[in-house]
């Protein structure tokens, strides 16, 4: 089989317009799956069942899209960076063919994809943090409302914990449900880490406890539900660092996704057609039926989810409101999840994420083709001509 393929493609400006439009539309349409995936990853179902906490999942279509604005903006910026970087990297690694045309080998295409995947991640990290905080705020709002509807008297955010009989509380987490979607105040954080001294009560943060404690109490009572409000919330409590949580693990995840996807897709195509020397289809010289291409796409999606789901779960936990307070690094996060919630916790959200990956790729490609054709037709038109 020939390892090289000629480089051809659309005008870069047309590709940017088509690519960003397709990315925005497809990420919007598939966002509910992303929202459900994130909630599954972050919910502690065992504790919710233990304390008879009602569900906290979206109850309206608007809630299903909470955090979607952050994801769409981040996705558009990421895809713009991807197209520019991938275009530059493939040109940088091209070779002069014997026929005078520029060519690039399959391994170099994979390397270019991995490198662009690494660099494009820088754009998505801040918006991932905003998205997760918005989803947590929506989830916390649902827990507060539904707890009240089901007659739960105590504060599920843990901001105000009052012992019924005024006896010392050894550890509040053993007595009641404290939502992981609320900001942990200093007292609650002490109980979470298990180094607290028994106290008779916890009160709402006062001025003596610092402005951040007051803000935590405020946002726990009234979770922010807007994009700009969430940016202000993160900055006021964490500063600029709050937008960079999970940087390393996100980069590792993105590189792993690109590597697993391209490697699986290319290897499977070669298995299906090991003796192909056709150049009718540009990518690696293979020619397959529509059913085979769908199968290749689904197989690659399964491989990506199987290999990278633990990385995605760890990333989500490090980007929690309390991520920096309760977790040290990626390895300790994985260990803590494994010990507290079992090995299955590292694959939470795999089903909705797998569906999203499988659908998103084909949807993006279809929309890209359609928008590209429209752009081509519009580009050939002349306005105000006689």
């Amino acid at each position: 089989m020939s390892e090289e393929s000629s480089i051809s493609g659309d005008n870069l400006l047309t590709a940017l317009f088509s690519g960003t439009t397709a990315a925005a539309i497809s990420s919007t349409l598939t966002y509910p799956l992303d929202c459900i995936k994130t909630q599954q990853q972050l919910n502690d179902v065992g504790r919710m069942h233990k304390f008879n906490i009602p569900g906290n999942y979206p109850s309206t279509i608007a809630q299903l899209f909470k955090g979607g604005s952050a994801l769409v903006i981040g996705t558009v910026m990421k895809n713009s960076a991807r197209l520019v970087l991938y275009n530059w990297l493939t040109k940088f690694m091209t070779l002069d063919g014997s026929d005078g045309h520029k060519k690039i080998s399959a391994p170099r295409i994979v390397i270019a994809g991995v490198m662009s995947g690494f660099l494009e991640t820088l754009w998505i990290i801040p918006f991932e943090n905003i998205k997760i905080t918005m989803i947590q705020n929506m989830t916390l709002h649902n827990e507060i409302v539904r707890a009240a509807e089901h007659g739960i008297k105590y504060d599920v955010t843990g901001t105000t914990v009052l012992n019924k009989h005024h006896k010392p509380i050894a550890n509040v987490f053993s007595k009641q449900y404290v939502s992981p979607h609320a900001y942990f105040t200093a007292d609650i954080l002490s109980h979470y880490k298990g180094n607290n001294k028994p106290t008779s009560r916890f009160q709402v943060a006062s001025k003596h406890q610092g402005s951040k404690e007051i803000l935590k109490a405020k946002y726990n009572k009234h979770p922010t539900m807007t994009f700009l409000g969430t940016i202000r919330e993160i900055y006021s409590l964490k500063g600029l660092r709050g937008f960079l949580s999970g940087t390393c693990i996100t980069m590792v995840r993105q590189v792993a996704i690109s590597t697993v996807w391209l490697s699986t897709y290319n290897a499977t195509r070669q298995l299906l057609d090991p003796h192909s020397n056709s150049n009718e289809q540009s990518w690696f010289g293979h020619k397959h039926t529509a059913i085979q291409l769908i199968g290749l796409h689904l197989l690659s999606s399964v491989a990506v989810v199987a290999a990278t789901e633990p990385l995605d779960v760890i990333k989500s936990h490090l980007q929690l409101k309390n991520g920096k307070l309760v977790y040290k690094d990626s390895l300790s996060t994985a260990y803590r999840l494994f010990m507290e919630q079992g090995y299955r916790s590292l694959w939470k959200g795999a089903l909705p994420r797998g569906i999203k990956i499988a659908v998103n790729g084909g949807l993006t490609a279809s929309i890209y083709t359609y928008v590209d054709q429209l752009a081509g037709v519009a580009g050939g038109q002349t306005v105000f001509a006689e």
Side-chain angles (χ1 to χ4, degrees), residues 86-335:
Y86 185 77
N87 180 64
W88 179 81
L89 287 167
T90 50
K91 287 184 176 179
F92 179 76
M93 293 188 290
T94 54
L95 302 172
D96 290 324
S98 57
D99 56 359
H101 291 88
K102 295 285 186 179
K103 296 184 178 181
I104 185 169
S105 62
R108 293 193 179 199
I109 290 179
V110 175
I111 293 172
V114 171
M115 292 176 66
S116 63
F118 178 83
L119 295 172
E120 76 190 29
T121 304
L122 297 174
W123 292 103
I124 196 67
I125 292 170
F127 296 98
E128 281 284 324
N129 279 278
I130 296 169
K131 181 199 77 174
I132 286 182
T133 300
M134 291 183 74
I135 291 175
Q136 281 197 282
N137 284 343
M138 179 266 292
T139 305
L140 178 62
H141 169 78
N142 287 348
E143 288 184 343
I144 293 172
V145 171
R146 293 173 192 174
E149 292 175 349
H150 284 71
I152 296 175
K153 302 299 183 183
Y154 60 81
D155 181 4
V156 296
T157 72
T159 306
T160 304
V161 181
L162 191 63
N163 189 271
K164 184 176 181 181
H165 302 291
H166 300 285
K167 295 179 180 179
I169 302 174
N171 191 301
V172 67
F173 286 88
S174 65
K175 300 293 183 181
Q176 70 175 57
Y177 174 78
V178 178
S179 175
H181 307 292
Y183 289 105
F184 287 174
T185 59
D187 286 332
I188 291 298
L189 182 62
S190 178
H191 275 237
Y192 182 84
K193 293 183 176 180
N195 57 4
N196 57 288
K197 295 180 180 180
T199 57
S200 60
R201 68 171 66 188
F202 296 93
Q203 296 180 345
V204 176
S206 65
K207 292 182 180 180
H208 301 289
Q209 293 176 287
S211 59
K212 288 190 177 180
E213 293 294 292
I214 296 173
L215 284 174
K216 286 180 180 180
K218 170 189 171 183
Y219 288 124
N220 282 350
K221 186 176 181 180
H222 303 289
T224 307
M225 305 298 282
T226 64
F227 176 71
L228 294 178
T230 303
I231 293 176
R232 184 165 54 251
E233 174 184 326
I234 294 174
Y235 182 76
S236 63
L237 286 170
K238 303 177 183 179
L240 292 177
R241 291 184 179 181
F243 299 97
L244 302 176
S245 298
T247 295
C248 292
I249 190 66
T250 305
M251 287 185 173
V252 172
R253 184 199 66 167
Q254 290 301 110
V255 171
I257 288 173
S258 297
T259 304
V260 173
W261 176 274
L262 290 170
S263 299
T264 304
Y265 200 88
N266 185 36
T268 310
R269 293 186 77 169
Q270 291 184 39
L271 287 174
L272 287 174
D273 193 9
H275 305 295
S276 173
N277 58 4
S278 169
N279 288 317
E280 292 181 23
Q281 288 194 355
S282 60
W283 207 38
F284 304 150
H286 288 276
K287 185 177 182 180
H288 298 298
T289 65
I291 294 177
Q292 288 177 326
L293 289 173
I294 292 173
L296 288 167
H297 187 76
L298 291 175
L299 181 61
S300 298
S301 300
V302 171
V304 166
V305 173
T308 66
E309 186 62 21
L311 298 175
D312 193 68
V313 171
I314 294 169
K315 177 201 76 70
S316 295
H317 279 267
L318 287 173
Q319 293 175 334
L320 277 168
K321 292 178 179 180
N322 304 301
K324 290 288 185 181
L325 298 176
V326 300
Y327 299 117
K328 294 181 179 179
D329 50 45
S330 299
L331 290 177
S332 63
T333 303
Y335 175 76

Side-chain angles (χ1 to χ4, degrees), residues 48-75:
M48 292 178 71
H49 288 166
K50 177 180 178 181
F51 293 103
N52 298 316
I53 298 299
N56 54 24
Y57 287 99
S59 57
T60 64
I61 295 177
Q63 286 194 345
L64 272 174
F65 285 91
K66 188 62 65 179
S69 53
L71 180 71
V72 170
I73 295 172
T75 300

